[in-house]
Amino acid sequence: METTEAPQVIEHQHQSLNFTPYETKWVPCSARFVCCGISPKAKGVLQIYELKGGKMEVVAEKTHDCGLKCGTFGASSLGERSLATGDYKGGLHVFDLERLDAPTFSVPGAHKAIINGIDGVGGLGIGGGAPELVTGSRDGCVRVWDPRVREPVVSLEPVEGQPVRDCWCAAFGNSVGDERVVAAGYDNGDVKLFDLRTNAMRWETNASNGVTCVEFDRKDIEMNKLVVTTLESRFRVFDLRTQHADDGFAHCTEKAHKATVWLARHLPQNRDVFMTGGGNGGFNLYAYHYPKKRTATHKDNAPVGVPGTVELLNSRVISTQPIVSFDWSPDKEGLAVLSCLDQTLRVYICTKLDRY
């Protein structure tokens, strides 16, 4: 849908790469962003770009001994703006963007296999408590790290004797006061919510298909919404304000892209607007609408959540290959950077987002 009233998505810059990009992130409080991935020779590539005169320019580059799969600034201070990365050999590394020659923090054996997903909280003034990182790996483990120590502060591992499920994604949420949770998604469709304060499983469900992304609408508030994207063209939005003992959290389900939904990213300036990236090389822009009442009375007389609805604001197919990374600028509303498996890097501007 593209009308004069709908948000418009305008391509600003396009760059072809000589490596496969798996992560793009804006550098907070700057006109720079990072792109990392894997070269044809299986080496890791980390590039820093700057927007100058409306054009992308590479200002620094680092080669790593193996491919880089994911990255985050979430546990870094605004002064340092250090990028934490997970690599193909299970290594966790933190890079100072002003000195890329060697990582400032490194745990080569953080996991026994590739780190598929990473997230951070407590840095950039976002979230209460200490700055921490969470990593999810093919070895089935989800680990929480304090960048000041080399051992995980929490390690959530598969039950001995049970099949090991590949963890594809992990994210922080509910970072208020002493509270903090981690959501993790797995290749068999499992979604698990761990309470880090009580060190216990808070909730789990199954989304029927492999979970490619989990993201809270905001990390630094009481849990509100969680978007879960999956294989087979679907995503779910869970309302996390009311948990029923048996039915868990209410959710709405949407079909999108006619292909795998690889990711969802909430607009920093408005947590009810989010973008999804698809295996069809397209992205969809959605607005979430809350129901008139967010709770109802279950047949057992306990409160139960009421799901909202999602509205498609705009969509566009830009590539023949999947969109595998997307990041909104935290500083300029509507400015976004993304990458596709066709080895392209793109900067877009989305307009009229202040109407939602």
Side-chain angles (χ1 to χ4, degrees), residues 1-23:
M1 55 180 288
E2 282 202 31
T3 70
T4 56
E5 298 302 317
Q8 301 298 301
V9 186
I10 305 165
E11 185 166 3
H12 184 58
Q13 285 294 318
H14 180 112
Q15 177 84 23
S16 295
L17 305 172
N18 59 4
F19 64 95
T20 301
Y22 282 116
E23 187 71 273

Side-chain angles (χ1 to χ4, degrees), residues 187-202:
D187 66 338
N188 65 338
D190 283 348
V191 180
K192 299 183 180 183
L193 194 64
F194 303 100
D195 190 317
L196 298 183
R197 183 178 63 83
T198 61
N199 198 28
M201 181 85 72
R202 181 163 178 169

Side-chain angles (χ1 to χ4, degrees), residues 321-343:
Q321 296 295 315
I323 295 175
V324 290
S325 73
F326 183 99
D327 195 38
W328 294 107
S329 168
D331 307 305
K332 183 174 178 57
E333 185 177 72
L335 184 61
V337 61
L338 62 91
S339 64
C340 306
L341 289 186
D342 60 3
Q343 297 187 336

